[in-house]
Amino acid sequence: MEKLIITAAICGAEVTKEHNPAVPYTVEEMVREAKSAYDAGAAVIHVHVRTDDGTPTQDRERFRVVLDAIKAAVPEAILIPSTGGATGMTPEERLQPTELMPEMATLDCGTCNFGDDIFVNDMPTMRAFGKRMLENNIKPEYECFEIGHLDTVLSMAEKGLVPGHPMQFNFVLGVSGCAPATVDNLSFLVSKLPAGSTWTVTGVGRGAWPMAAAGIMMGGNVRVGFEDNIYLERGHKAKSNGELVAKVVELAKLLGREVASADEARQILGLKK
Ligand code: KMH
Ligand code: ZN
């Protein structure tokens, strides 16, 4: 089995300091959380940004400052800015971080319910995002919240509308209104992947730890972080993203899987140094 790539989704757009005071908003807090995750064993940091009061934003200049500050603190880490942003944002707003030429960025693979909101990723939006990533030579991480999202993006890749082989998928399971975080759902999705693909699983809320264990055992990769889950265990909030990553490292050790360094993760994901 390949070594395990751990991603930390340190901030997200929905979770707030009211949920967990360690959720980062400011540049300094973002750096603190990225470093805590990297030092604990994460090779990849998935980045959303906020204004200092916690409001989610896709502002290019805010992304520039945050990404540069994280790079200065953890130069080896692979940074994956979000093009999902928050529900209700326009495609143009969401695309701003791709102007900074990151090596990777997320590409969300279909419209879905998202709690009480709708996360809109219709075909014109996805085509525009695919075109931008092809033009700017950005490797997408394909975010699938629903079973049909995978078929959608695979058929777009066949038509050359989004970057193709080797593709990296993140199966985000357990969002309210989307596919639940079950081993059945994960196994089905993994069974449909083209040979040579890499994949990560993200379990949302109480799905976080079962999905982490499943991802480790099934030879995939694992994402944790405040974006997805704020608890180390029931009733016990994590004090940092690093604590969440450390639990994945511990699970991997118990299950006999080695954890990838950022350099090793770059190789596994087919990224150029
Ligand atoms: N905040 C969610 C609505 C992504 O980063 O690409 C979308 C999201 C996906 O977080
Ligand atoms: Zn995200």
Side-chain angles (χ1 to χ4, degrees), residues 47 49 51 56-65 67 81-86 89-102 104-106 125 128-129 132-133 136 138:
V47 182
V49 296
T51 56
T57 175
Q58 287 292 104
D59 179 66
R60 185 187 60 192
E61 293 314 310
R62 183 66 168 186
F63 261 106
R64 191 195 301 279
V65 171
L67 292 173
S82 172
T83 67
M89 289 178 172
T90 65
E92 294 70 31
E93 237 179 317
R94 287 167 49 186
L95 270 174
Q96 290 178 74
T98 62
E99 293 166 22
L100 303 172
M101 307 293 184
M104 292 185 75
T106 59
T125 299
F129 283 38
R132 173 66 60 85
M133 298 212 194
N136 289 11
I138 299 168

